[in-house]
Amino acid sequence: MTSTDSAAQTPAKAPAKDPWDLPDVSGLVVGVLGGTGPQGKGLAYRLAKAGQKVIIGSRAADRAQAAAAELGHGVEGADNAETARRSDIVIVAVPWDGHGKTLESLREELAGKLVVDCVNPLGFDKKGAYALKPEEGSAAEQAAALLPDSRVAAAFHHLSAVLLQDPEIDEIDTDVMVLGEERADVEIVQALAGRIPGMRGVFAGRLRNAHQVESLVANLISVNRRYKAHAGLRVTDV
């Protein structure tokens, strides 16, 4: 066999997938646990305004329904369990001190779902905010440990709740660092972030790298206090 024949029989290498070729997520229902808090409410508002079907969850259904009515844009409110059951993607935006207990109680409802954790384990003292290190390594890794039948990703950590909730602001000028174990799941979350004008989802590693992403919020809080700002992040040269 000649070298030419050998080359002819070698299958052509498939071109690398374009990292910005993301799926259409417009038809997915997004649930937000902790949707009555500032971060969850802001995310729900932005996604719903962009045309996403959104359900916000709370421990009390009436609180969630009242917050949903306030937000408009077709947002619905329900208790956390119903929100989890009815959603394709569930964003976890609960306070850190209730994170583990909330997820443990919803293990059955969240089975088979894509769960996006945006919780930042932080402590505060007279010197300001500082990062906490959960036993599992990060809030996202705690979620993965507590939800073995769910697919867990991490994203939306560095967003200003003030900007998210401000109806006078049309675009949120920031990148969202997305972490996860499966490329398909990460790309769904990237695409979801990209539904919000001005926002872009950027792959930032596997869940084992979530701690430093969650911790960076403590630095952003310091930036905001010093400069009286609502700082976000942009990844350059990508």
Short mmCIF file of all heavy atoms in Angstrom, two decimals, residues 148-182:
data_model
loop_
_atom_site.label_atom_id
_atom_site.label_comp_id
_atom_site.label_asym_id
_atom_site.label_seq_id
_atom_site.Cartn_x
_atom_site.Cartn_y
_atom_site.Cartn_z
N PRO A 148 -27.76 13.28 44.13
CA PRO A 148 -27.06 12.33 43.25
C PRO A 148 -27.80 12.00 41.96
O PRO A 148 -27.20 11.52 41.00
CB PRO A 148 -26.93 11.09 44.14
CG PRO A 148 -28.02 11.21 45.15
CD PRO A 148 -28.16 12.68 45.40
N ASP A 149 -29.11 12.25 41.91
CA ASP A 149 -29.89 11.95 40.72
C ASP A 149 -30.15 13.18 39.85
O ASP A 149 -30.94 13.12 38.91
CB ASP A 149 -31.23 11.30 41.12
CG ASP A 149 -31.03 9.99 41.85
OD1 ASP A 149 -30.14 9.21 41.44
OD2 ASP A 149 -31.72 9.74 42.85
N SER A 150 -29.51 14.30 40.19
CA SER A 150 -29.64 15.52 39.41
C SER A 150 -28.32 15.81 38.69
O SER A 150 -27.29 15.24 39.02
CB SER A 150 -29.98 16.71 40.32
OG SER A 150 -31.17 16.47 41.05
N ARG A 151 -28.37 16.67 37.69
CA ARG A 151 -27.17 17.15 37.01
C ARG A 151 -26.91 18.56 37.52
O ARG A 151 -27.74 19.44 37.31
CB ARG A 151 -27.37 17.15 35.50
CG ARG A 151 -27.56 15.77 34.93
CD ARG A 151 -28.74 15.69 33.99
NE ARG A 151 -28.71 16.72 32.97
CZ ARG A 151 -29.80 17.28 32.46
NH1 ARG A 151 -31.00 16.94 32.89
NH2 ARG A 151 -29.70 18.20 31.52
N VAL A 152 -25.80 18.76 38.20
CA VAL A 152 -25.54 20.03 38.86
C VAL A 152 -24.50 20.86 38.10
O VAL A 152 -23.45 20.35 37.71
CB VAL A 152 -25.07 19.81 40.32
CG1 VAL A 152 -24.70 21.14 40.97
CG2 VAL A 152 -26.16 19.10 41.12
N ALA A 153 -24.83 22.10 37.88
CA ALA A 153 -23.89 23.08 37.32
C ALA A 153 -23.84 24.27 38.28
O ALA A 153 -24.62 24.35 39.23
CB ALA A 153 -24.34 23.52 35.94
N ALA A 154 -22.91 25.17 38.04
CA ALA A 154 -22.78 26.37 38.88
C ALA A 154 -22.66 27.59 37.98
O ALA A 154 -21.93 27.56 36.98
CB ALA A 154 -21.55 26.26 39.79
N ALA A 155 -23.39 28.66 38.31
CA ALA A 155 -23.37 29.88 37.48
C ALA A 155 -24.10 31.00 38.18
O ALA A 155 -24.73 30.79 39.22
CB ALA A 155 -24.01 29.61 36.11
N PHE A 156 -24.05 32.19 37.61
CA PHE A 156 -24.78 33.38 38.06
C PHE A 156 -24.34 33.88 39.44
O PHE A 156 -25.14 34.50 40.14
CB PHE A 156 -26.30 33.11 38.08
CG PHE A 156 -26.88 32.68 36.76
CD1 PHE A 156 -27.42 31.41 36.60
CD2 PHE A 156 -26.87 33.54 35.67
CE1 PHE A 156 -27.96 31.01 35.38
CE2 PHE A 156 -27.40 33.15 34.44
CZ PHE A 156 -27.95 31.88 34.30
N HIS A 157 -23.08 33.68 39.80
CA HIS A 157 -22.61 34.07 41.13
C HIS A 157 -22.34 35.56 41.28
O HIS A 157 -22.44 36.11 42.36
CB HIS A 157 -21.31 33.33 41.47
CG HIS A 157 -21.42 31.85 41.46
ND1 HIS A 157 -21.18 31.10 40.33
CD2 HIS A 157 -21.78 30.98 42.44
CE1 HIS A 157 -21.37 29.82 40.62
NE2 HIS A 157 -21.74 29.73 41.87
N HIS A 158 -21.91 36.21 40.20
CA HIS A 158 -21.32 37.55 40.30
C HIS A 158 -22.24 38.66 39.82
O HIS A 158 -21.78 39.71 39.40
CB HIS A 158 -20.00 37.59 39.51
CG HIS A 158 -19.05 36.52 39.89
ND1 HIS A 158 -18.37 35.75 38.97
CD2 HIS A 158 -18.71 36.04 41.11
CE1 HIS A 158 -17.61 34.87 39.61
NE2 HIS A 158 -17.80 35.02 40.89
N LEU A 159 -23.53 38.43 39.88
CA LEU A 159 -24.49 39.41 39.35
C LEU A 159 -25.02 40.32 40.46
O LEU A 159 -25.33 39.85 41.56
CB LEU A 159 -25.66 38.69 38.69
CG LEU A 159 -25.28 37.67 37.60
CD1 LEU A 159 -26.53 37.03 37.03
CD2 LEU A 159 -24.46 38.33 36.50
N SER A 160 -25.15 41.57 40.16
CA SER A 160 -25.70 42.54 41.10
C SER A 160 -27.22 42.42 41.13
O SER A 160 -27.89 42.62 40.11
CB SER A 160 -25.31 43.96 40.69
OG SER A 160 -26.13 44.90 41.34
N ALA A 161 -27.77 42.12 42.30
CA ALA A 161 -29.22 42.04 42.45
C ALA A 161 -29.87 43.40 42.17
O ALA A 161 -30.97 43.47 41.64
CB ALA A 161 -29.58 41.56 43.85
N VAL A 162 -29.16 44.47 42.51
CA VAL A 162 -29.68 45.82 42.28
C VAL A 162 -29.87 46.06 40.78
O VAL A 162 -30.92 46.54 40.34
CB VAL A 162 -28.74 46.89 42.89
CG1 VAL A 162 -29.18 48.29 42.49
CG2 VAL A 162 -28.71 46.75 44.40
N LEU A 163 -28.85 45.72 39.99
CA LEU A 163 -28.95 45.92 38.54
C LEU A 163 -30.00 44.99 37.92
O LEU A 163 -30.75 45.40 37.04
CB LEU A 163 -27.59 45.68 37.88
CG LEU A 163 -26.45 46.62 38.28
CD1 LEU A 163 -25.20 46.31 37.46
CD2 LEU A 163 -26.83 48.09 38.12
N LEU A 164 -30.03 43.75 38.38
CA LEU A 164 -30.98 42.78 37.83
C LEU A 164 -32.42 43.25 38.00
O LEU A 164 -33.26 43.05 37.12
CB LEU A 164 -30.81 41.42 38.51
CG LEU A 164 -29.57 40.60 38.16
CD1 LEU A 164 -29.49 39.37 39.05
CD2 LEU A 164 -29.56 40.19 36.69
N GLN A 165 -32.70 43.89 39.13
CA GLN A 165 -34.08 44.27 39.43
C GLN A 165 -34.46 45.66 38.92
O GLN A 165 -35.63 46.04 39.03
CB GLN A 165 -34.30 44.22 40.95
CG GLN A 165 -34.22 42.82 41.53
CD GLN A 165 -34.56 42.80 43.01
OE1 GLN A 165 -35.71 42.80 43.39
NE2 GLN A 165 -33.53 42.79 43.84
N ASP A 166 -33.51 46.40 38.37
CA ASP A 166 -33.77 47.77 37.95
C ASP A 166 -34.41 47.79 36.56
O ASP A 166 -33.75 47.51 35.56
CB ASP A 166 -32.46 48.57 37.93
CG ASP A 166 -32.68 50.05 37.71
OD1 ASP A 166 -33.77 50.43 37.22
OD2 ASP A 166 -31.77 50.84 38.00
N PRO A 167 -35.69 48.14 36.44
CA PRO A 167 -36.37 48.13 35.14
C PRO A 167 -35.86 49.20 34.18
O PRO A 167 -36.13 49.15 32.98
CB PRO A 167 -37.84 48.37 35.51
CG PRO A 167 -37.80 49.08 36.82
CD PRO A 167 -36.60 48.56 37.53
N GLU A 168 -35.11 50.17 34.71
CA GLU A 168 -34.56 51.22 33.85
C GLU A 168 -33.31 50.76 33.10
O GLU A 168 -32.85 51.43 32.17
CB GLU A 168 -34.20 52.46 34.69
CG GLU A 168 -35.38 53.09 35.43
CD GLU A 168 -36.45 53.57 34.47
OE1 GLU A 168 -36.09 54.24 33.47
OE2 GLU A 168 -37.64 53.26 34.69
N ILE A 169 -32.75 49.63 33.51
CA ILE A 169 -31.53 49.11 32.88
C ILE A 169 -31.92 48.05 31.85
O ILE A 169 -32.54 47.04 32.20
CB ILE A 169 -30.57 48.53 33.94
CG1 ILE A 169 -30.05 49.66 34.83
CG2 ILE A 169 -29.41 47.79 33.28
CD1 ILE A 169 -29.20 49.20 35.98
N ASP A 170 -31.55 48.28 30.59
CA ASP A 170 -31.92 47.36 29.51
C ASP A 170 -30.94 46.21 29.35
O ASP A 170 -31.33 45.11 28.96
CB ASP A 170 -32.03 48.12 28.19
CG ASP A 170 -33.17 49.12 28.19
OD1 ASP A 170 -34.23 48.83 28.80
OD2 ASP A 170 -33.00 50.22 27.61
N GLU A 171 -29.65 46.47 29.63
CA GLU A 171 -28.63 45.43 29.44
C GLU A 171 -27.80 45.27 30.70
O GLU A 171 -27.49 46.26 31.38
CB GLU A 171 -27.71 45.78 28.27
CG GLU A 171 -28.41 45.79 26.93
CD GLU A 171 -27.43 45.87 25.76
OE1 GLU A 171 -26.20 45.91 26.01
OE2 GLU A 171 -27.90 45.90 24.61
N ILE A 172 -27.43 44.03 31.00
CA ILE A 172 -26.54 43.73 32.12
C ILE A 172 -25.17 43.42 31.53
O ILE A 172 -24.96 42.36 30.93
CB ILE A 172 -27.04 42.54 32.95
CG1 ILE A 172 -28.48 42.77 33.41
CG2 ILE A 172 -26.13 42.30 34.15
CD1 ILE A 172 -28.67 43.89 34.39
N ASP A 173 -24.24 44.33 31.66
CA ASP A 173 -22.93 44.23 31.02
C ASP A 173 -22.00 43.35 31.85
O ASP A 173 -21.22 43.84 32.67
CB ASP A 173 -22.34 45.64 30.86
CG ASP A 173 -20.98 45.62 30.19
OD1 ASP A 173 -20.70 44.65 29.45
OD2 ASP A 173 -20.20 46.55 30.41
N THR A 174 -22.07 42.03 31.62
CA THR A 174 -21.25 41.12 32.42
C THR A 174 -21.16 39.75 31.77
O THR A 174 -21.98 39.38 30.94
CB THR A 174 -21.83 40.99 33.84
OG1 THR A 174 -20.89 40.35 34.70
CG2 THR A 174 -23.11 40.15 33.84
N ASP A 175 -20.13 39.00 32.15
CA ASP A 175 -20.02 37.59 31.79
C ASP A 175 -20.45 36.75 32.97
O ASP A 175 -20.31 37.16 34.13
CB ASP A 175 -18.58 37.24 31.43
CG ASP A 175 -18.18 37.73 30.04
OD1 ASP A 175 -19.09 37.88 29.19
OD2 ASP A 175 -16.99 37.95 29.80
N VAL A 176 -20.95 35.55 32.67
CA VAL A 176 -21.34 34.58 33.70
C VAL A 176 -20.42 33.37 33.58
O VAL A 176 -20.36 32.74 32.52
CB VAL A 176 -22.81 34.14 33.51
CG1 VAL A 176 -23.15 32.98 34.43
CG2 VAL A 176 -23.74 35.32 33.75
N MET A 177 -19.68 33.08 34.62
CA MET A 177 -18.80 31.91 34.61
C MET A 177 -19.64 30.68 34.93
O MET A 177 -20.32 30.62 35.95
CB MET A 177 -17.67 32.10 35.62
CG MET A 177 -16.84 33.33 35.32
SD MET A 177 -15.48 33.60 36.50
CE MET A 177 -14.26 32.48 35.84
N VAL A 178 -19.58 29.70 34.02
CA VAL A 178 -20.40 28.49 34.14
C VAL A 178 -19.50 27.28 34.35
O VAL A 178 -18.56 27.06 33.59
CB VAL A 178 -21.26 28.28 32.88
CG1 VAL A 178 -22.19 27.08 33.07
CG2 VAL A 178 -22.08 29.54 32.56
N LEU A 179 -19.80 26.50 35.38
CA LEU A 179 -19.01 25.31 35.70
C LEU A 179 -19.91 24.09 35.71
O LEU A 179 -21.08 24.18 36.09
CB LEU A 179 -18.33 25.46 37.07
CG LEU A 179 -17.43 26.68 37.23
CD1 LEU A 179 -18.18 27.81 37.92
CD2 LEU A 179 -16.18 26.32 38.03
N GLY A 180 -19.36 22.96 35.29
CA GLY A 180 -20.14 21.73 35.31
C GLY A 180 -19.35 20.56 34.80
O GLY A 180 -18.24 20.71 34.27
N GLU A 181 -19.93 19.38 34.93
CA GLU A 181 -19.24 18.15 34.55
C GLU A 181 -19.53 17.73 33.11
O GLU A 181 -18.70 17.07 32.48
CB GLU A 181 -19.66 17.02 35.50
CG GLU A 181 -19.29 17.27 36.96
CD GLU A 181 -17.80 17.51 37.14
OE1 GLU A 181 -16.98 16.77 36.57
OE2 GLU A 181 -17.45 18.47 37.86
N GLU A 182 -20.70 18.07 32.59
CA GLU A 182 -21.08 17.66 31.25
C GLU A 182 -21.18 18.86 30.32
O GLU A 182 -21.85 19.84 30.64
CB GLU A 182 -22.43 16.93 31.28
CG GLU A 182 -22.44 15.66 32.12
CD GLU A 182 -21.52 14.58 31.56
OE1 GLU A 182 -21.27 14.58 30.33
OE2 GLU A 182 -21.02 13.76 32.36
#
